[in-house]
Amino acid sequence: MNMEQIFHMVGGAGENSYANNSRLQEKAILKTKPFVEEAIKEILKSLPEKFVVADLGCSSGPNTFRMLSEVINFVDQHCRQLSQQKPEIQFFLNDLPSNDFNNLFQISKLYEEKIREEKGDDYVPFYVVGLPGSFYGRLFPSKSVHFFHSSYCLMWLSQVPKGLEGEKGYQLNGTDIYISKESSSTISQLYLEQFKSDFLEFLKSRSKELIFGGRMILSFLGRRNCPSIGEHLYFWGLLADALKELVSEGLVEVDKLNAFNLPFYTPLMEEVKSTINMEGSFHLDQLQTFESNWDPFDESNDNFVVDNDNG
C-alpha cells in the first residue's frame, strides 16, 4: 500500500469531512498557542525581512488557517510593540499529494480578502503556497525555513511496519488491525522500530532545512505508560470488531482483513526524547504532555500534565 499516494483525511466541507470533524485537533492547536507565540518572538529577534513558515501535515479546513492566523497576529503584535518593520510571511502548507489542496486554496483566498477588509493597508503581507509530499523526507532547500509547525500528524507512520507479514504470507497480527491486548511483544517492537525510523528521518530532514536560530513545534498523540496503548486500543478495537463482522457476513474477504494493519503509533515520552537525542541535531527547549477529553465538545477534563523537560 502506497501511503503517500492514497492516504488522506476526508476532503471537502461536507458532513463527514475532516474540516467538520476535527475539533480534537483544534483543541491541540489551542493548547500549543503560547509556545507558538514564544517561538515566533525568538525568531523575530533577528529581524528577518522574510519569515518562512511551514505547516507540516496541514490537512484542510479551518484548523489550517487557525495556525496561520496565530502566526500573522503574533508577528503583527510583536512588531507593533517594538515599532519594528513587519516582515513578509511565506506560508508553505504541506500534506500528502492526495490531500484536498483545492479546499485549502479556496479558503485561503477568502481568508486573505477578510484580512484585507479588516486591516486595510496596515496588515502583515503574507503568501500561501501548497506543498504536496511526505514530511518523512526533504521538502525544502537547505537553511530556508524559520519555523516548522506540525500538529496531530507524527503518530501516523510512513508505512505499515515491516515484518508484520511473516513467512509464506502468514500475518503476525491475524485479524487485529493494530496493537491489541493479545498482541505479542514482537508486534509492539515492530511498531516502535517503524516510529523511530520515521521520526529520525523527519528530524534529519528538518535539521537541513531549518535556518540557524529557527524553531520547530511538534504535537502528536502519545501514551502515558507501557505496555498500555490507552484509549487508542479501545477505538481501534471497535473498528477491528466491525471489520470482523463484515467478514462474517461475507462482505469482506478474511485475507484482506488479515493483510490490513494501521500505520499508526502513539509513542511514550521517553521514546520521543531518546529518538531526538539519537538524531542529535536539535536542542529540546520544552517537552510537555497534556491530556484532552475525547469528547470534542467537552473541555472539563482537558489539562496539562506536570511532566516538563527543558533539556
Side-chain angles (χ1 to χ4, degrees):
M1 182 170 63
N2 190 328
M3 296 293 299
E4 189 167 341
Q5 293 300 321
I6 68 172
F7 188 72
H8 61 87
M9 300 296 108
V10 177
E15 182 179 354
N16 297 319
S17 67
Y18 174 86
N20 285 321
N21 293 277
S22 51
R23 170 61 178 155
L24 287 174
Q25 291 85 340
E26 179 188 11
K27 289 164 74 173
I29 293 173
L30 292 173
K31 288 284 189 181
T32 58
K33 184 175 179 179
F35 309 112
V36 172
E37 182 174 11
E38 185 61 32
I40 290 174
K41 285 182 180 179
E42 290 298 316
I43 295 169
L44 292 179
K45 287 180 179 180
S46 64
L47 299 177
E49 293 183 4
K50 180 178 68 175
F51 183 32
V52 179
V53 178
D55 188 14
L56 305 179
C58 65
S59 193
S60 61
N63 284 346
T64 304
F65 290 89
R66 179 175 293 279
M67 192 284 297
L68 186 149
S69 297
E70 288 181 0
V71 172
I72 291 174
N73 289 335
F74 292 153
V75 170
D76 184 57
Q77 292 169 12
H78 181 82
C79 292
R80 285 177 182 274
Q81 290 172 359
L82 299 181
S83 299
Q84 184 174 308
Q85 181 68 33
K86 298 174 184 176
E88 296 183 312
I89 306 177
Q90 175 71 75
F91 287 101
F92 286 95
L93 304 181
N94 158 257
D95 214 308
L96 296 177
S98 51
N99 183 57
D100 190 354
F101 283 101
N102 284 334
N103 176 268
L104 279 182
F105 297 148
Q106 291 167 4
I107 298 176
S108 172
K109 189 64 178 177
L110 295 174
Y111 179 78
E112 182 177 356
E113 291 174 357
K114 179 181 178 182
I115 291 292
R116 287 181 179 274
E117 289 178 3
E118 292 178 351
K119 301 288 186 178
D121 294 331
D122 188 27
Y123 79 103
V124 179
F126 67 95
Y127 308 90
V128 178
V129 176
L131 180 63
S134 172
F135 51 52
Y136 291 125
R138 288 293 299 274
L139 293 166
F140 299 93
S142 298
K143 311 303 177 187
S144 61
V145 179
H146 293 89
F147 179 53
F148 280 113
H149 175 271
S150 181
S151 182
Y152 252 64
C153 298
L154 284 163
M155 65 278 188
W156 291 107
L157 305 174
S158 67
Q159 62 180 46
V160 172
K162 296 178 180 178
L164 287 179
E165 182 176 321
E167 296 181 1
K168 299 180 180 180
Y170 174 73
Q171 301 294 326
L172 297 184
N173 218 15
T175 56
D176 286 326
I177 62 174
Y178 184 53
I179 304 169
S180 70
K181 292 180 179 178
E182 289 74 34
S183 296
S184 67
S185 58
T186 299
I187 292 173
S188 297
Q189 186 62 31
L190 288 173
Y191 269 94
L192 173 58
E193 289 173 1
Q194 185 64 51
F195 168 77
K196 285 188 173 182
S197 174
D198 283 344
F199 195 31
L200 281 171
E201 187 59 39
F202 176 92
L203 295 170
K204 187 186 303 181
S205 297
R206 303 295 82 77
S207 71
K208 292 180 172 65
E209 298 164 348
L210 196 65
I211 288 173
F212 182 78
R215 295 291 190 273
M216 183 162 64
I217 292 180
L218 312 174
S219 59
F220 48 99
L221 291 175
R223 68 187 196 278
R224 296 180 61 185
N225 52 58
C226 187
S228 171
I229 312 299
E231 291 178 293
H232 308 108
L233 185 152
Y234 174 73
F235 287 123
W236 295 134
L238 289 178
L239 178 58
D241 288 342
L243 292 172
K244 290 172 188 177
E245 183 63 27
L246 292 176
V247 169
S248 69
E249 295 176 7
L251 299 175
V252 173
E253 297 176 15
V254 67
D255 289 345
K256 289 185 177 180
L257 178 56
N258 284 335
F260 178 71
N261 290 282
L262 287 164
F264 181 92
Y265 184 74
T266 52
L268 294 166
M269 174 80 83
E270 187 53 46
E271 292 168 353
V272 174
K273 289 168 59 177
S274 65
T275 307
I276 293 172
N277 292 333
M278 186 188 308
E279 197 279 329
S281 297
F282 291 93
H283 172 72
L284 190 60
D285 287 335
Q286 291 193 56
L287 187 62
Q288 298 199 20
T289 60
F290 62 88
E291 294 179 342
S292 182
N293 191 320
W294 278 89
D295 181 341
F297 300 102
D298 182 1
E299 300 182 358
S300 60
N301 293 325
D302 289 354
N303 64 285
F304 274 94
V305 180
V306 181
D307 191 359
N308 300 336
D309 192 306
N310 297 316

PDB file of all heavy atoms in Angstrom, residues 94-116:
ATOM      1  N   ASN A  94       1.863  21.974   3.828  1.00  0.00           N
ATOM      2  CA  ASN A  94       2.319  20.680   3.341  1.00  0.00           C
ATOM      3  C   ASN A  94       1.413  19.546   3.787  1.00  0.00           C
ATOM      4  O   ASN A  94       0.963  19.502   4.925  1.00  0.00           O
ATOM      5  CB  ASN A  94       3.735  20.402   3.850  1.00  0.00           C
ATOM      6  CG  ASN A  94       4.084  18.921   3.851  1.00  0.00           C
ATOM      7  OD1 ASN A  94       4.085  18.282   4.900  1.00  0.00           O
ATOM      8  ND2 ASN A  94       4.334  18.371   2.676  1.00  0.00           N
ATOM      9  N   ASP A  95       1.137  18.638   2.876  1.00  0.00           N
ATOM     10  CA  ASP A  95       0.486  17.369   3.198  1.00  0.00           C
ATOM     11  C   ASP A  95       0.730  16.425   2.027  1.00  0.00           C
ATOM     12  O   ASP A  95       1.375  16.798   1.036  1.00  0.00           O
ATOM     13  CB  ASP A  95      -1.013  17.552   3.464  1.00  0.00           C
ATOM     14  CG  ASP A  95      -1.510  16.573   4.527  1.00  0.00           C
ATOM     15  OD1 ASP A  95      -1.266  15.360   4.375  1.00  0.00           O
ATOM     16  OD2 ASP A  95      -2.136  17.018   5.503  1.00  0.00           O
ATOM     17  N   LEU A  96       0.224  15.204   2.136  1.00  0.00           N
ATOM     18  CA  LEU A  96       0.409  14.226   1.082  1.00  0.00           C
ATOM     19  C   LEU A  96      -0.307  14.666  -0.193  1.00  0.00           C
ATOM     20  O   LEU A  96      -1.269  15.445  -0.135  1.00  0.00           O
ATOM     21  CB  LEU A  96      -0.100  12.863   1.545  1.00  0.00           C
ATOM     22  CG  LEU A  96       0.656  12.256   2.736  1.00  0.00           C
ATOM     23  CD1 LEU A  96       0.026  10.942   3.154  1.00  0.00           C
ATOM     24  CD2 LEU A  96       2.129  12.049   2.405  1.00  0.00           C
ATOM     25  N   PRO A  97       0.142  14.190  -1.352  1.00  0.00           N
ATOM     26  CA  PRO A  97      -0.422  14.663  -2.625  1.00  0.00           C
ATOM     27  C   PRO A  97      -1.936  14.486  -2.745  1.00  0.00           C
ATOM     28  O   PRO A  97      -2.592  15.247  -3.464  1.00  0.00           O
ATOM     29  CB  PRO A  97       0.309  13.797  -3.667  1.00  0.00           C
ATOM     30  CG  PRO A  97       1.601  13.463  -3.023  1.00  0.00           C
ATOM     31  CD  PRO A  97       1.293  13.295  -1.566  1.00  0.00           C
ATOM     32  N   SER A  98      -2.493  13.485  -2.047  1.00  0.00           N
ATOM     33  CA  SER A  98      -3.936  13.242  -2.136  1.00  0.00           C
ATOM     34  C   SER A  98      -4.755  14.143  -1.220  1.00  0.00           C
ATOM     35  O   SER A  98      -5.985  14.048  -1.185  1.00  0.00           O
ATOM     36  CB  SER A  98      -4.233  11.767  -1.822  1.00  0.00           C
ATOM     37  OG  SER A  98      -3.616  11.372  -0.609  1.00  0.00           O
ATOM     38  N   ASN A  99      -4.100  15.028  -0.473  1.00  0.00           N
ATOM     39  CA  ASN A  99      -4.817  15.969   0.389  1.00  0.00           C
ATOM     40  C   ASN A  99      -5.695  16.903  -0.451  1.00  0.00           C
ATOM     41  O   ASN A  99      -5.425  17.156  -1.628  1.00  0.00           O
ATOM     42  CB  ASN A  99      -3.800  16.790   1.189  1.00  0.00           C
ATOM     43  CG  ASN A  99      -4.446  17.747   2.162  1.00  0.00           C
ATOM     44  OD1 ASN A  99      -5.218  17.341   3.020  1.00  0.00           O
ATOM     45  ND2 ASN A  99      -4.144  19.029   2.031  1.00  0.00           N
ATOM     46  N   ASP A 100      -6.743  17.440   0.163  1.00  0.00           N
ATOM     47  CA  ASP A 100      -7.668  18.328  -0.540  1.00  0.00           C
ATOM     48  C   ASP A 100      -7.093  19.749  -0.581  1.00  0.00           C
ATOM     49  O   ASP A 100      -7.532  20.646   0.140  1.00  0.00           O
ATOM     50  CB  ASP A 100      -9.033  18.314   0.148  1.00  0.00           C
ATOM     51  CG  ASP A 100     -10.108  19.030  -0.673  1.00  0.00           C
ATOM     52  OD1 ASP A 100      -9.755  19.627  -1.704  1.00  0.00           O
ATOM     53  OD2 ASP A 100     -11.275  18.982  -0.277  1.00  0.00           O
ATOM     54  N   PHE A 101      -6.109  19.954  -1.451  1.00  0.00           N
ATOM     55  CA  PHE A 101      -5.500  21.274  -1.572  1.00  0.00           C
ATOM     56  C   PHE A 101      -6.457  22.275  -2.212  1.00  0.00           C
ATOM     57  O   PHE A 101      -6.358  23.485  -1.954  1.00  0.00           O
ATOM     58  CB  PHE A 101      -4.204  21.193  -2.383  1.00  0.00           C
ATOM     59  CG  PHE A 101      -3.042  20.639  -1.604  1.00  0.00           C
ATOM     60  CD1 PHE A 101      -2.644  19.327  -1.764  1.00  0.00           C
ATOM     61  CD2 PHE A 101      -2.357  21.428  -0.692  1.00  0.00           C
ATOM     62  CE1 PHE A 101      -1.581  18.811  -1.045  1.00  0.00           C
ATOM     63  CE2 PHE A 101      -1.288  20.928   0.038  1.00  0.00           C
ATOM     64  CZ  PHE A 101      -0.896  19.608  -0.139  1.00  0.00           C
ATOM     65  N   ASN A 102      -7.369  21.808  -3.050  1.00  0.00           N
ATOM     66  CA  ASN A 102      -8.335  22.722  -3.648  1.00  0.00           C
ATOM     67  C   ASN A 102      -9.140  23.446  -2.579  1.00  0.00           C
ATOM     68  O   ASN A 102      -9.388  24.659  -2.663  1.00  0.00           O
ATOM     69  CB  ASN A 102      -9.285  21.972  -4.587  1.00  0.00           C
ATOM     70  CG  ASN A 102      -8.629  21.612  -5.900  1.00  0.00           C
ATOM     71  OD1 ASN A 102      -7.695  22.275  -6.320  1.00  0.00           O
ATOM     72  ND2 ASN A 102      -9.105  20.557  -6.542  1.00  0.00           N
ATOM     73  N   ASN A 103      -9.556  22.708  -1.553  1.00  0.00           N
ATOM     74  CA  ASN A 103     -10.288  23.309  -0.440  1.00  0.00           C
ATOM     75  C   ASN A 103      -9.437  24.361   0.262  1.00  0.00           C
ATOM     76  O   ASN A 103      -9.919  25.452   0.604  1.00  0.00           O
ATOM     77  CB  ASN A 103     -10.724  22.217   0.538  1.00  0.00           C
ATOM     78  CG  ASN A 103     -11.403  22.767   1.785  1.00  0.00           C
ATOM     79  OD1 ASN A 103     -10.744  23.018   2.787  1.00  0.00           O
ATOM     80  ND2 ASN A 103     -12.711  22.938   1.739  1.00  0.00           N
ATOM     81  N   LEU A 104      -8.152  24.052   0.454  1.00  0.00           N
ATOM     82  CA  LEU A 104      -7.246  24.995   1.110  1.00  0.00           C
ATOM     83  C   LEU A 104      -7.108  26.281   0.311  1.00  0.00           C
ATOM     84  O   LEU A 104      -7.144  27.383   0.858  1.00  0.00           O
ATOM     85  CB  LEU A 104      -5.867  24.360   1.283  1.00  0.00           C
ATOM     86  CG  LEU A 104      -5.667  23.413   2.459  1.00  0.00           C
ATOM     87  CD1 LEU A 104      -4.224  22.922   2.489  1.00  0.00           C
ATOM     88  CD2 LEU A 104      -5.998  24.093   3.779  1.00  0.00           C
ATOM     89  N   PHE A 105      -6.938  26.145  -0.988  1.00  0.00           N
ATOM     90  CA  PHE A 105      -6.740  27.333  -1.817  1.00  0.00           C
ATOM     91  C   PHE A 105      -7.995  28.209  -1.833  1.00  0.00           C
ATOM     92  O   PHE A 105      -7.901  29.445  -1.834  1.00  0.00           O
ATOM     93  CB  PHE A 105      -6.368  26.927  -3.241  1.00  0.00           C
ATOM     94  CG  PHE A 105      -5.064  26.174  -3.326  1.00  0.00           C
ATOM     95  CD1 PHE A 105      -4.866  25.200  -4.292  1.00  0.00           C
ATOM     96  CD2 PHE A 105      -4.038  26.444  -2.439  1.00  0.00           C
ATOM     97  CE1 PHE A 105      -3.672  24.514  -4.370  1.00  0.00           C
ATOM     98  CE2 PHE A 105      -2.835  25.753  -2.509  1.00  0.00           C
ATOM     99  CZ  PHE A 105      -2.645  24.787  -3.476  1.00  0.00           C
ATOM    100  N   GLN A 106      -9.165  27.567  -1.844  1.00  0.00           N
ATOM    101  CA  GLN A 106     -10.405  28.339  -1.827  1.00  0.00           C
ATOM    102  C   GLN A 106     -10.555  29.116  -0.520  1.00  0.00           C
ATOM    103  O   GLN A 106     -10.914  30.297  -0.514  1.00  0.00           O
ATOM    104  CB  GLN A 106     -11.595  27.403  -2.034  1.00  0.00           C
ATOM    105  CG  GLN A 106     -11.675  26.819  -3.434  1.00  0.00           C
ATOM    106  CD  GLN A 106     -12.665  25.673  -3.534  1.00  0.00           C
ATOM    107  OE1 GLN A 106     -13.366  25.352  -2.574  1.00  0.00           O
ATOM    108  NE2 GLN A 106     -12.726  25.044  -4.699  1.00  0.00           N
ATOM    109  N   ILE A 107     -10.272  28.429   0.602  1.00  0.00           N
ATOM    110  CA  ILE A 107     -10.356  29.099   1.901  1.00  0.00           C
ATOM    111  C   ILE A 107      -9.300  30.187   2.009  1.00  0.00           C
ATOM    112  O   ILE A 107      -9.535  31.267   2.561  1.00  0.00           O
ATOM    113  CB  ILE A 107     -10.192  28.087   3.050  1.00  0.00           C
ATOM    114  CG1 ILE A 107     -11.323  27.058   3.026  1.00  0.00           C
ATOM    115  CG2 ILE A 107     -10.175  28.802   4.395  1.00  0.00           C
ATOM    116  CD1 ILE A 107     -11.169  25.973   4.074  1.00  0.00           C
ATOM    117  N   SER A 108      -8.115  29.931   1.465  1.00  0.00           N
ATOM    118  CA  SER A 108      -7.024  30.888   1.525  1.00  0.00           C
ATOM    119  C   SER A 108      -7.410  32.209   0.878  1.00  0.00           C
ATOM    120  O   SER A 108      -7.124  33.293   1.412  1.00  0.00           O
ATOM    121  CB  SER A 108      -5.788  30.301   0.832  1.00  0.00           C
ATOM    122  OG  SER A 108      -4.767  31.269   0.713  1.00  0.00           O
ATOM    123  N   LYS A 109      -8.063  32.128  -0.269  1.00  0.00           N
ATOM    124  CA  LYS A 109      -8.470  33.351  -0.968  1.00  0.00           C
ATOM    125  C   LYS A 109      -9.485  34.141  -0.144  1.00  0.00           C
ATOM    126  O   LYS A 109      -9.390  35.365  -0.005  1.00  0.00           O
ATOM    127  CB  LYS A 109      -9.070  32.979  -2.324  1.00  0.00           C
ATOM    128  CG  LYS A 109      -9.333  34.163  -3.224  1.00  0.00           C
ATOM    129  CD  LYS A 109      -8.030  34.866  -3.593  1.00  0.00           C
ATOM    130  CE  LYS A 109      -8.277  36.022  -4.545  1.00  0.00           C
ATOM    131  NZ  LYS A 109      -7.031  36.765  -4.854  1.00  0.00           N
ATOM    132  N   LEU A 110     -10.458  33.429   0.430  1.00  0.00           N
ATOM    133  CA  LEU A 110     -11.465  34.091   1.264  1.00  0.00           C
ATOM    134  C   LEU A 110     -10.833  34.701   2.508  1.00  0.00           C
ATOM    135  O   LEU A 110     -11.199  35.797   2.944  1.00  0.00           O
ATOM    136  CB  LEU A 110     -12.548  33.083   1.664  1.00  0.00           C
ATOM    137  CG  LEU A 110     -13.408  32.526   0.526  1.00  0.00           C
ATOM    138  CD1 LEU A 110     -14.321  31.430   1.052  1.00  0.00           C
ATOM    139  CD2 LEU A 110     -14.232  33.637  -0.117  1.00  0.00           C
ATOM    140  N   TYR A 111      -9.867  33.980   3.086  1.00  0.00           N
ATOM    141  CA  TYR A 111      -9.208  34.462   4.295  1.00  0.00           C
ATOM    142  C   TYR A 111      -8.410  35.736   4.000  1.00  0.00           C
ATOM    143  O   TYR A 111      -8.457  36.701   4.771  1.00  0.00           O
ATOM    144  CB  TYR A 111      -8.287  33.381   4.837  1.00  0.00           C
ATOM    145  CG  TYR A 111      -7.543  33.792   6.080  1.00  0.00           C
ATOM    146  CD1 TYR A 111      -8.173  33.788   7.322  1.00  0.00           C
ATOM    147  CD2 TYR A 111      -6.218  34.218   6.010  1.00  0.00           C
ATOM    148  CE1 TYR A 111      -7.494  34.195   8.460  1.00  0.00           C
ATOM    149  CE2 TYR A 111      -5.542  34.617   7.138  1.00  0.00           C
ATOM    150  CZ  TYR A 111      -6.185  34.601   8.357  1.00  0.00           C
ATOM    151  OH  TYR A 111      -5.521  35.011   9.481  1.00  0.00           O
ATOM    152  N   GLU A 112      -7.708  35.748   2.885  1.00  0.00           N
ATOM    153  CA  GLU A 112      -6.919  36.925   2.528  1.00  0.00           C
ATOM    154  C   GLU A 112      -7.822  38.135   2.310  1.00  0.00           C
ATOM    155  O   GLU A 112      -7.499  39.257   2.740  1.00  0.00           O
ATOM    156  CB  GLU A 112      -6.106  36.642   1.269  1.00  0.00           C
ATOM    157  CG  GLU A 112      -5.212  37.805   0.863  1.00  0.00           C
ATOM    158  CD  GLU A 112      -4.351  37.482  -0.335  1.00  0.00           C
ATOM    159  OE1 GLU A 112      -4.390  36.328  -0.808  1.00  0.00           O
ATOM    160  OE2 GLU A 112      -3.643  38.398  -0.804  1.00  0.00           O
ATOM    161  N   GLU A 113      -8.958  37.943   1.656  1.00  0.00           N
ATOM    162  CA  GLU A 113      -9.899  39.050   1.432  1.00  0.00           C
ATOM    163  C   GLU A 113     -10.432  39.585   2.755  1.00  0.00           C
ATOM    164  O   GLU A 113     -10.582  40.809   2.933  1.00  0.00           O
ATOM    165  CB  GLU A 113     -11.049  38.565   0.548  1.00  0.00           C
ATOM    166  CG  GLU A 113     -10.632  38.263  -0.888  1.00  0.00           C
ATOM    167  CD  GLU A 113     -11.754  37.645  -1.698  1.00  0.00           C
ATOM    168  OE1 GLU A 113     -12.838  37.394  -1.119  1.00  0.00           O
ATOM    169  OE2 GLU A 113     -11.565  37.421  -2.904  1.00  0.00           O
ATOM    170  N   LYS A 114     -10.702  38.666   3.702  1.00  0.00           N
ATOM    171  CA  LYS A 114     -11.195  39.081   5.008  1.00  0.00           C
ATOM    172  C   LYS A 114     -10.147  39.911   5.753  1.00  0.00           C
ATOM    173  O   LYS A 114     -10.470  40.947   6.365  1.00  0.00           O
ATOM    174  CB  LYS A 114     -11.574  37.849   5.836  1.00  0.00           C
ATOM    175  CG  LYS A 114     -12.082  38.176   7.225  1.00  0.00           C
ATOM    176  CD  LYS A 114     -12.411  36.904   8.002  1.00  0.00           C
ATOM    177  CE  LYS A 114     -12.870  37.234   9.415  1.00  0.00           C
ATOM    178  NZ  LYS A 114     -13.147  35.994  10.207  1.00  0.00           N
ATOM    179  N   ILE A 115      -8.906  39.477   5.722  1.00  0.00           N
ATOM    180  CA  ILE A 115      -7.819  40.203   6.390  1.00  0.00           C
ATOM    181  C   ILE A 115      -7.660  41.599   5.800  1.00  0.00           C
ATOM    182  O   ILE A 115      -7.488  42.594   6.516  1.00  0.00           O
ATOM    183  CB  ILE A 115      -6.495  39.427   6.275  1.00  0.00           C
ATOM    184  CG1 ILE A 115      -6.558  38.148   7.126  1.00  0.00           C
ATOM    185  CG2 ILE A 115      -5.313  40.291   6.712  1.00  0.00           C
ATOM    186  CD1 ILE A 115      -6.593  38.387   8.605  1.00  0.00           C
ATOM    187  N   ARG A 116      -7.715  41.688   4.485  1.00  0.00           N
ATOM    188  CA  ARG A 116      -7.563  42.984   3.829  1.00  0.00           C
ATOM    189  C   ARG A 116      -8.687  43.946   4.224  1.00  0.00           C
ATOM    190  O   ARG A 116      -8.476  45.143   4.411  1.00  0.00           O
ATOM    191  CB  ARG A 116      -7.535  42.812   2.317  1.00  0.00           C
ATOM    192  CG  ARG A 116      -6.232  42.211   1.781  1.00  0.00           C
ATOM    193  CD  ARG A 116      -6.275  42.090   0.264  1.00  0.00           C
ATOM    194  NE  ARG A 116      -5.053  41.544  -0.272  1.00  0.00           N
ATOM    195  CZ  ARG A 116      -3.976  42.261  -0.578  1.00  0.00           C
ATOM    196  NH1 ARG A 116      -3.984  43.570  -0.370  1.00  0.00           N
ATOM    197  NH2 ARG A 116      -2.899  41.695  -1.084  1.00  0.00           N
TER     198      ARG A 116
END
